[in-house]
Structures are given as structure tokens and as C-alpha cells.
Amino acid sequence: MANKVKMSITRALAQVKLIESKLGRAFAGFDVEVNGKLKGFPNFTTEQFEKEALVEVNSFEDLFKNRLKIKSAIARANIDTKISLFGTEYSIIELIDLKNSSQYKKNVYTNLIHNYNKCKSDVVNQDVKIENEVSKQVEVANSNKTQVSKDLTTTLTETYKTLWGGKIIGLDINKISKEKEDLDKLVAEIDMVLSEINSKTEIEVEL
């Protein structure tokens, strides 16, 4: 006989995770009998094996049904329960979707920042190449006993940078970084709010 069980969403989610781990466990269900002995389960009699196989499959069916009941109850609570975030009211399901959508945006901005840092590194590497080339030119001038101007290094560096220096073009990195920072804060706040509401919101399930 089914009993009505009350539990928080937090506990229900943990229960679903536990059930899923059990559902993932395989059981034989079949074996081969040769001359009264089971090939895969020699310590079982035929009667014991068949009884155990039936228990296993019935347990599997019960777990499957219980998972569905708990998940359905969580889904209903996620729709019915309202939460306020930054002055706006959301259902739990809307807040979960907002978090997921924000995560997609975070991934985009994270990738943009990664690309910016790569470009920044490329510019630095190009500057190093220019510095090395300038040093070589100054060394050649010195070795030829040429009258070297005090500003030769500066002049060569400016000329080389004008010709071959790299610069970053594209979006405003400050705006991108700020957007990423705001998204980090939003996702963290959503996580905290969901954790609080899930621990307080109860569901009722017949198990």
C-alpha cells in the first residue's frame, strides 16, 4: 500500500539521484541450466534464481515508478512556487531557465575574454620581435663603428612599430569583462536563492 511522504525539494532531488544510481545497476534476469546446475550462478538453485530475478525486476519497476512520481512532484512545485529576485517574481522553473540562459551568455563572454587575452599575447610577442630586431640593428651599427645617435634605439623602435607593430581591434574589453562579472554575480545569486527555496519547499508523494 502506497504511503504519502512529505519531503523538501532538496531531499527529493537527492532521492532521485539515488534512485537513478540504482536504476543504472544491471541484473542478469536469465541464466543457463546444465544438468541441474546454473552456469553463471552455481550457488543458486533454479527456484532461487527465478525468485531472485522476479524480485529484481519488480524492484526495478518500483524504482522507475517512484522516480517518475518524485520528478513529477518536483516539476509541479517548480511551476507553482514563486520567488523574488532583484524585485522581479519568478517561478522556480523560470529561475532555473534564467540560470541556464545566463550560463550560455557566460560561455560566450568567457570565450571573448579568452580571445582578447590571446590577441594581447600576440601583440606582446610581436613587440618582443621588434625589440630583438632593433637590438640587432644597433649591434650592427656599433660593430661598423658607425656614429650611433643616442636616439637610434628609440627611432628604430618607433619606425618598426609603425610598420610591423600589432594592435588589438574589436569589441570593448572593459564592457565585455563587466558583462561577464555581472553574469557571475547573477548566477551565484540564483544558486543561493534556489538552494534556500529548495530546502524550504515541500512536496508530497505517494510511494
Side-chain angles (χ1 to χ4, degrees):
M1 183 178 177
N3 295 317
K4 287 188 177 181
V5 178
K6 284 186 177 182
M7 64 182 83
S8 67
I9 292 180
T10 299
R11 183 182 169 191
L13 290 170
Q15 191 70 18
V16 167
K17 190 174 180 180
L18 177 61
I19 290 173
E20 288 176 345
S21 70
K22 291 180 178 179
L23 286 173
R25 180 175 57 86
F27 57 93
F30 300 94
D31 200 6
V32 175
E33 182 188 46
V34 178
N35 197 24
K37 288 285 186 180
L38 298 184
K39 191 174 181 180
F41 297 85
N43 295 327
F44 280 69
T45 65
T46 299
E47 184 179 301
Q48 287 174 330
F49 180 82
E50 289 177 343
K51 183 178 180 181
E52 185 64 24
L54 189 59
V55 168
E56 289 278 9
V57 76
N58 287 337
S59 175
F60 176 85
E61 291 292 342
D62 288 341
L63 286 170
F64 182 83
K65 290 174 183 176
N66 287 343
R67 177 190 177 279
L68 184 59
K69 289 177 181 178
I70 296 173
K71 290 281 287 184
S72 296
I74 292 173
R76 287 192 297 272
N78 284 347
I79 293 170
D80 296 338
T81 306
K82 304 299 180 183
I83 320 158
S84 179
L85 179 71
F86 302 130
T88 302
E89 187 177 81
Y90 299 90
S91 64
I92 293 179
I93 194 68
E94 288 172 329
L95 209 53
I96 291 172
D97 186 63
L98 177 60
K99 177 187 172 180
N100 293 337
S101 299
S102 298
Q103 191 61 55
Y104 285 123
K105 289 180 70 176
K106 271 184 63 177
N107 292 342
V108 170
Y109 287 115
T110 297
N111 187 59
L112 286 171
I113 291 171
H114 171 76
N115 289 343
Y116 172 83
N117 288 330
K118 183 178 180 299
C119 290
K120 188 177 180 180
S121 177
D122 288 343
V123 169
V124 170
N125 290 337
Q126 187 66 16
D127 285 345
V128 170
K129 289 179 181 179
I130 289 172
E131 289 172 8
N132 291 338
E133 185 60 30
V134 168
S135 296
K136 288 179 183 178
Q137 295 297 329
V138 171
E139 285 178 12
V140 169
N142 286 330
S143 66
N144 292 334
K145 297 182 179 180
T146 303
Q147 184 67 34
V148 179
S149 167
K150 290 172 59 178
D151 296 329
L152 177 62
T153 300
T154 301
T155 301
L156 285 174
T157 300
E158 289 176 353
T159 301
Y160 275 53
K161 282 193 173 183
T162 298
L163 294 173
W164 298 295
K167 64 178 181 179
I168 301 174
I169 61 169
L171 300 169
D172 186 336
I173 186 58
N174 293 323
K175 289 182 179 179
I176 296 297
S177 298
K178 180 66 167 58
E179 186 70 24
K180 167 68 166 48
E181 183 182 334
D182 290 344
L183 286 167
D184 285 337
K185 291 177 180 177
L186 175 62
V187 170
E189 184 68 21
I190 292 174
D191 280 337
M192 185 178 69
V193 170
L194 286 176
S195 178
E196 289 177 354
I197 199 68
N198 284 346
S199 67
K200 296 175 181 177
T201 304
E202 283 195 335
I203 60 172
E204 187 173 82
V205 190
E206 285 192 0
L207 300 176

